[in-house]
Amino acid sequence: MINIEISAKPLNIPFCIDWVMSPQSGGIDVFIGTVRDATKGKKVLELEFEAYERMALTEMRKIADDVLTRWPVHKILIHHRTGSLQIADIPVVIAVSAAHRDAAFDACRYAIDTLKQTVPIWKKEVFEDGEVWVAAHP
């Protein structure tokens, strides 16, 4: 089962974890990306995320489908936020459940690494002295 979402609203961590839980799952791995206060020694004021939403959702589904074919995973959830985020806000949550922890860990790592490489979501870091777009892929 797959749950994919892009939203400007705050991500709901308890919902994400509850959604992947199942009686047959012995392990759940969750990646929660948070906005940190510095990059390369520069103070970050906020991050802004933009997405080519239709294509991003398609690419996120491809990642989830790939996870389900590579690992014996029961459920995978990938949620990403857009808009202006402040320090400690959560831009991304990936949750994976499987019968065993190794599959959940490996699938979750693969999902976040692949998302950062292939999904058309762009991040702008805003500093005290300027701003820069980073991770500008597809």
Side-chain angles (χ1 to χ4, degrees):
M1 295 192 57
I2 296 172
N3 186 321
I4 304 296
E5 183 177 301
I6 295 174
S7 175
K9 297 177 183 175
L11 302 181
N12 184 331
I13 304 301
F15 169 85
C16 295
I17 294 169
D18 288 346
W19 190 89
V20 297
M21 291 184 100
S22 67
Q24 68 270 26
S25 297
I28 294 173
D29 192 56
V30 180
F31 174 79
I32 301 170
T34 57
V35 177
R36 63 181 176 267
D37 64 357
T39 297
K40 298 179 183 175
K42 291 181 75 172
K43 182 178 179 183
V44 173
L45 301 179
E46 68 179 10
L47 296 183
E48 293 180 22
F49 288 90
E50 291 185 9
Y52 176 16
E53 191 168 329
R54 191 179 58 171
M55 182 185 240
L57 289 167
T58 298
E59 291 301 313
M60 290 163 70
R61 178 158 291 277
K62 285 181 188 176
I63 293 167
D65 288 339
D66 200 21
V67 162
L68 293 174
T69 62
R70 290 176 176 230
W71 291 277
V73 165
H74 298 135
K75 294 181 179 181
I76 179 168
L77 174 143
I78 305 172
H79 286 190
H80 207 294
R81 191 165 169 202
T82 56
S84 295
L85 281 72
Q86 304 306 307
I87 305 306
D89 283 349
I90 298 167
V92 63
V93 176
I94 297 176
V96 178
S97 62
H100 303 284
R101 68 180 175 271
D102 285 345
F105 279 126
D106 293 345
C108 194
R109 176 178 286 280
Y110 171 83
I112 187 60
D113 289 348
T114 306
L115 181 143
K116 287 181 151 286
Q117 293 172 355
T118 66
V119 177
I121 297 174
W122 300 277
K123 174 175 72 175
K124 180 169 56 173
E125 293 179 322
V126 179
F127 304 102
E128 293 175 313
D129 63 349
E131 56 193 40
V132 62
W133 285 98
V134 294
H137 43 74

